[in-house]
Amino acid sequence: MSQGAADMMLRGRRGVGGRLPEQLPRRTVRENATSLASIPLFQGFSKRHLQRLAAQADELTFEPRDDIVEEGMLGETLFVVLSGKGKVTRGGRKVGQVLPGDFFGELSTLDGGPRSATVTAETPMRVLRLFRHTLVELLKDEPRLILKLLDGIVRRIREIERSS
C-alpha cells in the first residue's frame, strides 16, 4: 500500500504532483519541544523526554491542495501544525480542519496503521513531523512513559467524543 505524501518522503518517493514537500532548516530543539508539549498526548512527559523527541523532529512545508496524509494509507508520523490551515476529510467529506497548535496522525504514529482521514493544506502550511520510530525508542528506554502516553490517548478520545 502506498504512503501519504509526507510519509513517502521518508522513503524517497514523490508526493502529490510528483514533488516532495520542502524540508526547512532544522528548528531548535527548544522550539520543537515547545510545540510537542502542546500536544495532549505528551502532557505527562518531562522536558527531558520532550527534548529527546524534539531533537529528532523536523519541519516541512506544504502548498495549498497538497495532501499531507491520505485516508487509508499506512503512516508512521505525527504532525503538529505550526502555521497555515488544512482541511480534514473522511470518505471525501469535510469533517474538520487543522489550525496552528493542532496535531494529527497520532494513531498511525502509535500503531503504524492506516490513516483515518486525509489532511489537505488549504493555505501554505508549516508542520512539525515526529516519527514513530523515535517515539517507540523513547518508550523502550523509558517504559513508565507508556502509562503517561495512555493517559494522553484517553484524553484525546474523550475530547473527540465531546466534540461529536
Side-chain angles (χ1 to χ4, degrees):
M1 194 177 282
S2 66
Q3 302 289 308
D7 288 339
M8 284 191 277
M9 187 173 165
L10 295 172
R11 292 172 179 76
R13 293 170 53 192
R14 302 236 173 245
V16 176
R19 64 185 170 74
L20 295 172
E22 180 183 0
Q23 185 170 359
L24 300 176
R26 290 188 64 83
R27 290 164 30 110
T28 67
V29 170
R30 175 182 280 173
E31 289 171 318
N32 289 348
T34 299
S35 295
L36 293 174
S38 69
I39 298 175
L41 198 63
F42 302 131
Q43 194 169 36
F45 284 38
S46 70
K47 279 187 179 181
R48 181 175 59 87
H49 295 125
L50 290 169
Q51 287 176 342
R52 181 169 166 188
L53 292 174
Q56 306 247 349
D58 60 358
E59 182 181 340
L60 301 173
T61 62
F62 293 89
E63 295 301 319
R65 295 183 302 283
D66 283 351
D67 285 343
I68 301 170
V69 298
E70 296 176 42
E71 181 178 5
M73 300 301 162
L74 295 177
E76 301 176 340
T77 49
L78 174 142
F79 298 91
V80 180
V81 179
L82 301 172
S83 68
K85 181 173 99 171
K87 69 177 175 179
V88 180
T89 57
R90 196 172 288 124
R93 292 185 51 227
K94 185 173 180 178
V95 296
Q97 66 180 5
V98 290
L99 301 168
D102 290 340
F103 64 98
F104 58 93
E106 69 278 8
L107 294 179
S108 292
T109 304
L110 295 172
D111 70 1
R115 302 287 186 182
S116 60
T118 296
V119 177
T120 305
E122 291 186 298
T123 66
M125 287 182 70
R126 287 179 32 249
V127 298
L128 183 65
R129 175 177 61 178
L130 178 67
F131 299 95
R132 180 176 195 270
H133 66 84
T134 302
L135 181 58
V136 168
E137 286 302 313
L138 176 63
L139 295 175
K140 282 180 183 176
D141 293 345
E142 306 273 354
R144 71 183 184 284
L145 289 178
I146 293 171
L147 284 176
K148 292 181 182 199
L149 187 66
L150 185 58
D151 285 344
I153 294 166
V154 170
R155 271 191 301 280
R156 177 72 162 171
I157 291 169
R158 290 189 190 282
E159 177 185 303
I160 290 168
E161 286 179 345
R162 277 193 298 271
S163 65
S164 297

